[in-house]
Amino acid sequence: MHLLFHLSVLLLQIATAMALPHIRSNSIISSANLAISYVESCPNDDNTDEPVTLFIHGLDSSSHTWRRVQQSLTTPTIAIDCRGCGNSELGDHDEFTPDSLVADVKSVVDSHPLLQKKRFVLVGHSMGGRVAMCYAAKHPEDISALVIEDMDIRRREVNSNFIPNFNEAKALSFERLHPNLDSVKNAFGEIGYPSDMVDKWVREGRVYEHGSEGQYWSDVHPAFRALCYRRIFDSNSGVTCWNTIAQHFSNSNAVKVYLLVAGIGTVCEQESINDMVECMPSTISVKTYPTGYHSLHGSVMEEFLCDLQEIIEDANSPHLQGKL
C-alpha cells in the first residue's frame, strides 16, 4: 500500500515542481507507519530563519485548499494532508483518534528542518481547527500563534452531519482511485454527496485525473468525514482541549490565539464563541468577516491574507523562535 501512495506523491511532486518551482510536495512515514503527505512553499530557499506557518485543512478537503494562500505568502509554509486525505494513508479505522491525528502532525513537525527547532504559526480551518486545538493542547511548546478559522468547541452529534442520508458504511469502504470520472462520481453519489458538490470538487482539483490511463484520484475521503464525526466532533474533545490551551497560554503575553469567524453561514455558535473567549479573554482575538463564508481563505482571501501576514509578523518575535 505504501508503494501506491509514494507513487502518487512522486507524480504530484513532478507536476508541482514544473508549475510552481518554490512549491514542493513530499511525504514522511509517521510514527504510526503511515505515509503522510504535505506541500511546502519556500519562496526564499536561502533564508531558513523566516517564520513558518503550518496549515491543517477541514473535512472533504486536503492540502490543496491552501495552495493559493501558499503561493501568496512570502514566508515559508507547510500544508499537511490529514490521514486519509490528499495523498496520505488512512490506516486502521480503529486507530483514528484525536491523538493519532495530532501524532501525524507531530511526525511532520519533528522530521521537517523548518519546523524542528523553532515555533511556528498553526492555522486550522473547520475540522482542521479542531485538530489544531488538539495539537496546541498537547504541544504548546511548538506554537508561536494559534489561528482557528471558523470552528468553535461545541459537541456535534453524528446525526448533525449536513450530508443528507449519509451512508457511513459506504463512506468507510470508499476507494480513492477509480477507473474513470463517472466511477468516482457514482461512488460519492451512493454515499449521499450531492452531484453539484462533486462537480465543484472536480473543477477545483480535489478530484483529478491520475496517471496516463484515464484513472481518477480523489483527495477527498468520505471516511475522514465519518470518522471525524464519530471520534472527534461527537465528543467533548473541543472543550477539553480548549481548557488545556487556556491553561498553557492565558498567563503568557507571547502566544496569541485568533478566532476568525465567517459572517455568512458560519458553523460557529455564539454561545460557544463566548465560552472560548471566557476561557482566555486576554489571549484571544476574535474577528468576524461580514462577507466571508465558511472558507474564509477562499471567500475573502485578500483580507484573510492581510490579517494572516500581520499575525505571522507579530508572532515572529525573537523570544518565540526557540522551542522550550
Side-chain angles (χ1 to χ4, degrees):
M1 183 63 94
H2 282 328
L3 181 60
L4 172 63
F5 278 84
H6 286 307
L7 178 59
S8 299
V9 171
L10 179 60
L11 291 172
L12 185 59
Q13 287 175 344
I14 294 171
T16 303
M18 291 175 63
L20 302 161
H22 69 275
I23 292 184
R24 298 180 288 266
S25 299
N26 212 331
S27 68
I28 54 104
I29 299 299
S30 72
S31 58
N33 199 34
L34 295 178
I36 301 296
S37 59
Y38 60 88
V39 175
E40 64 180 37
S41 172
C42 299
N44 304 304
D45 284 330
D46 57 339
N47 187 356
T48 58
D49 293 329
E50 293 180 305
V52 182
T53 305
L54 178 62
F55 294 101
I56 307 177
H57 63 81
L59 298 178
D60 301 330
S61 191
S62 71
S63 59
H64 184 272
T65 189
W66 301 109
R67 188 62 53 84
R68 290 175 61 209
V69 173
Q70 290 186 281
Q71 291 170 9
S72 300
L73 289 173
T74 58
T75 50
T77 61
I78 296 169
I80 192 172
D81 285 325
C82 292
R83 62 168 61 190
C85 305
N87 283 287
S88 292
E89 291 181 284
L90 177 61
D92 191 325
H93 294 171
D94 292 336
E95 296 176 1
F96 190 102
T97 65
D99 283 346
S100 67
L101 292 173
V102 168
D104 293 339
V105 178
K106 186 61 173 172
S107 291
V108 173
V109 170
D110 287 346
S111 66
H112 201 290
L114 290 177
L115 299 170
Q116 289 171 336
K117 297 181 180 179
K118 62 182 179 182
R119 299 189 183 198
F120 52 85
V121 176
L122 181 59
V123 181
H125 170 239
S126 194
M127 180 64 225
R130 283 291 182 91
V131 178
M133 293 178 202
C134 293
Y135 188 94
K138 194 163 187 175
H139 302 290
E141 71 281 358
D142 289 349
I143 309 300
S144 61
L146 176 63
V147 183
I148 306 299
E149 182 185 348
D150 209 48
M151 177 49 59
D152 58 18
I153 58 175
R154 65 186 171 90
R155 184 172 190 153
R156 288 168 166 79
E157 295 182 353
V158 171
N159 59 14
S160 68
N161 188 341
F162 82 94
I163 302 297
N165 303 314
F166 187 77
N167 189 320
E168 186 173 295
K170 289 191 175 182
L172 293 173
S173 62
F174 181 83
E175 296 289 343
R176 283 183 284 170
L177 186 62
H178 286 257
N180 52 57
L181 182 56
D182 285 341
S183 175
V184 69
K185 285 185 174 182
N186 290 337
F188 276 120
E190 290 175 356
I191 293 168
Y193 286 93
S195 59
D196 59 342
M197 180 180 291
V198 180
D199 289 338
K200 180 172 179 285
W201 294 344
V202 174
R203 292 194 301 271
E204 293 174 343
R206 301 192 209 187
V207 177
Y208 52 90
E209 192 167 358
H210 179 85
S212 59
E213 299 181 1
Q215 294 176 307
Y216 272 77
W217 179 266
S218 174
D219 279 354
V220 176
H221 202 323
F224 183 74
R225 168 178 285 275
L227 292 168
C228 281
Y229 265 91
R230 285 283 176 192
R231 309 287 170 75
I232 301 177
F233 274 151
D234 199 355
S235 73
N236 293 320
S237 65
V239 173
T240 301
C241 288
W242 197 256
N243 288 335
T244 303
I245 293 170
Q247 293 174 13
H248 289 315
F249 295 159
S250 287
N251 295 323
S252 170
N253 293 321
V255 180
K256 298 297 183 182
V257 178
Y258 302 86
L259 176 61
L260 311 182
V261 182
I264 303 172
T266 181
V267 302
C268 300
E269 287 190 352
Q270 188 59 51
E271 183 178 354
S272 186
I273 294 175
N274 294 342
D275 291 340
M276 295 170 77
V277 173
E278 187 176 345
C279 281
M280 47 179 129
S282 62
T283 304
I284 189 172
S285 297
V286 181
K287 176 176 178 177
T288 299
Y289 295 73
T291 61
Y293 291 86
H294 179 53
S295 174
L296 295 170
H297 64 274
S299 59
V300 285
M301 180 180 168
E302 188 172 330
E303 186 177 2
F304 175 87
L305 277 171
C306 182
D307 291 338
L308 181 57
Q309 187 64 58
E310 186 174 332
I311 291 169
I312 293 169
E313 291 172 359
D314 185 58
N316 191 32
S317 303
H319 62 289
L320 279 177
Q321 292 308 295
K323 295 187 180 181
L324 297 178

